[in-house]
Amino acid sequence: MLPFELISPDVAIKQKLQQVYLSEYGILYQGDCRKFLSALPDESVDLVFADPPFNLGKEYGEGVSDRMKTDQYLSWSQKWLDQSIRVLKPGGSLFVFNLPRWCIDYGAFLNQKGMWFRHWIACRMPKAFPRGKKMSPAHYGLIYYTKGEPAVFNKVYTPIQVCRHCGGEIRDYGGHRKRLNEKGINLMDVWDMPEDVWEDASEANSNEVLWALTEEMWTDIPPVRHRRHKKRVPNELAPIMLERIIAMASNPGQIVVDPFGGSGTTFYAAEKLHRYWIGSEIGDTEPAIERLTDLANGIIEEWESARGNKKLKQRKTAGSQLLIP
Ligand SMILES: C[S@@+](CC[C@H](N)C(=O)[O-])C[C@H]1O[C@@H](n2cnc3c(N)ncnc32)[C@H](O)[C@@H]1O
């Protein structure tokens, strides 16, 4: 089934899901994550990515509380996690991004539900800050589970880390170093358009840089402050993070789900990597619509990153249709 066939108009009305964007690859609903997930058929999607509010008291707009009691937050989380498990096909992948504090409870719940633990990926926080009688937090958790034996695991390669002062390699690859960039590794197999990710960085040239299999520590995810959406409240993730996840755990033509769409990073990455997608967002969907419309019009967004500003790039892509509610 294609994503457009997963939720019938009757069910969408019943669950108060309003279709706000439709493209060749995906469909976005404005509505509640639980209503959205419960509208999806059993075992109908290949990959779920969830970046829920972290319960830090942020303002996400009307109808969203980001200041719940611990029990309430966990019980709410378990409901959408449960639904996420239900909609995944056997072997499908689930990625959840949150503070380590919540990832621990999520992991315990997913273990109990029989999901297979794959990885705890540490996404390094760019800024350190003091926290009273605690250590300074340095990473967000990205937990990766599958519904049984993983159906898809593509090896994704990332540039090996070098010291920004001396250029020397940070990790010791020991006896395996000579295997890096071995003949036959074709980055395009899993990373359709690396030049769109690091367009003006030397990393884009696989001949100049050594690449290694992606590790569990992601230190290259930049903070995003999208110029046009600087005033947005939700935290926008960097496209490279979603591209990596989607390239690793799905194949072109498969279906990716994001129930907490925000500014549409998951949908943007799915479009770029030719995966189908379906998602929901309870709050303002304009930033996601604007972003996807830009992409459909061949405008790759300009965003600030830890590696410098990316230039706006025009690229011809398939058209899409904007649905005004
Ligand atoms: C951390 S942000 C996600 C940001 C997104 N990953 C991005 O890159 O733009 C969480 C989002 O979940 C939305 N949200 C909160 N509660 C929701 C609910 N019950 N159903 C659907 N979306 C919800 C918020 O409005 C917010 O946009």
Side-chain angles (χ1 to χ4, degrees), residues 36-53:
F36 162 70
L37 288 168
S38 68
L40 295 174
D42 292 355
E43 305 195 338
S44 55
V45 305
D46 303 279
L47 165 61
V48 176
F49 171 79
D51 172 20

Side-chain angles (χ1 to χ4, degrees), residues 159 198 200-201 203 220 222 305-310:
W198 300 123
D200 54 33
E203 286 92 327
D220 59 347
S305 84
R307 297 196 189 197
N309 292 339
K310 303 288 156 222

Side-chain angles (χ1 to χ4, degrees), residues 21 69 103-104 118 148 162 219 228 231 234 286 313-314:
Y21 184 86
K69 293 207 168 94
C103 284
I104 281 202
R118 298 272 293 158
V162 290
T219 56
R228 290 166 68 188
K231 294 199 178 67
E286 254 336 287
K313 190 180 168 196
Q314 292 278 346

Side-chain angles (χ1 to χ4, degrees), residues 31-33 51-53 60 64 76 232 234-237 259-265 281-283:
D32 178 74
C33 63
D51 172 20
Y60 284 103
V64 182
W76 172 74
R232 287 193 75 239
N235 304 335
E236 179 178 335
L237 297 175
F260 302 100
S263 66
T265 316
E281 164 57 49
I282 203 168

Side-chain angles (χ1 to χ4, degrees), residues 12-25:
I13 291 169
K14 197 169 153 219
Q15 298 294 356
K16 299 195 171 79
L17 299 170
Q18 195 166 23
Q19 184 178 310
V20 290
Y21 184 86
L22 180 68
S23 77
E24 186 190 346
Y25 283 103

Side-chain angles (χ1 to χ4, degrees), residues 134-200:
K134 282 188 166 177
M135 285 192 278
S136 177
H139 81 283
Y140 295 102
L142 175 63
I143 50 172
Y144 169 21
Y145 276 79
T146 52
K147 191 167 172 175
E149 179 80 32
V152 177
F153 180 70
N154 295 317
K155 290 184 173 174
V156 169
Y157 294 83
T158 48
I160 65 168
Q161 284 182 273
V162 290
C163 166
R164 64 184 156 138
H165 302 294
C166 71
E169 287 164 22
I170 288 171
R171 280 266 266 149
D172 179 3
Y173 295 91
H176 300 288
R177 193 187 181 291
K178 61 180 183 308
R179 298 177 70 111
L180 301 177
N181 262 3
E182 64 186 355
K183 209 167 172 228
I185 287 179
N186 180 2
L187 299 167
M188 296 296 172
D189 284 349
V190 293
W191 198 261
D192 296 13
M193 292 167 278
E195 74 281 7
D196 284 341
V197 181
W198 300 123
E199 191 188 338
D200 54 33

